[in-house]
Amino acid sequence: RKKMNSNPRRGLYHYRSPAKILWRTIRGMVPHKTARGAAALDRLKSFEGCPHPYDRKKKMVVPACLKVLRLRPERKFCRLGDLSK
């Protein structure tokens, strides 16, 4: 089927939900066309919000991943929720 930039009904489809945006981003980093990459993507779970089995778990902060420590002050950033609006 023919794909065009000018007609969104025919073109590349972009996911709007934050869980699907994250899944698609990670798919770009994984060799998803190999059996090993496809198995890794099958194991990946992305949720919107906190689903039932995990909402009762104690939340923990990973200090190495904090934005204050990872990004320099002049760097621009955006949040996944802002992209999906």
Side-chain angles (χ1 to χ4, degrees):
R1 181 145 219 225
K2 189 174 181 181
K3 293 183 180 180
M4 294 180 65
N5 290 337
S6 60
N7 190 349
R9 284 186 296 116
R10 297 187 199 161
L12 301 171
Y13 302 111
H14 303 288
Y15 293 115
R16 298 291 195 278
S17 73
K20 282 300 218 179
I21 291 174
L22 179 72
W23 180 85
R24 181 71 186 247
T25 304
I26 294 174
R27 193 191 86 164
M29 301 177 193
V30 173
H32 63 93
K33 293 185 179 182
T34 64
R36 185 178 65 114
L41 270 183
D42 288 339
R43 290 191 302 269
L44 176 69
K45 295 178 187 175
S46 61
F47 303 107
E48 293 174 32
C50 197
H52 169 65
Y54 305 111
D55 58 355
R56 304 204 187 280
K57 300 272 185 183
K58 185 176 183 295
K59 308 286 189 289
M60 57 188 296
V61 174
V62 181
C65 298
L66 287 175
K67 180 179 74 78
V68 176
L69 299 175
R70 299 297 295 176
L71 283 181
R72 296 193 353 225
E74 66 271 5
R75 295 290 185 192
K76 293 184 177 181
F77 72 96
C78 69
R79 294 202 164 99
L80 196 54
D82 297 338
L83 286 178
S84 62
K85 284 183 181 179

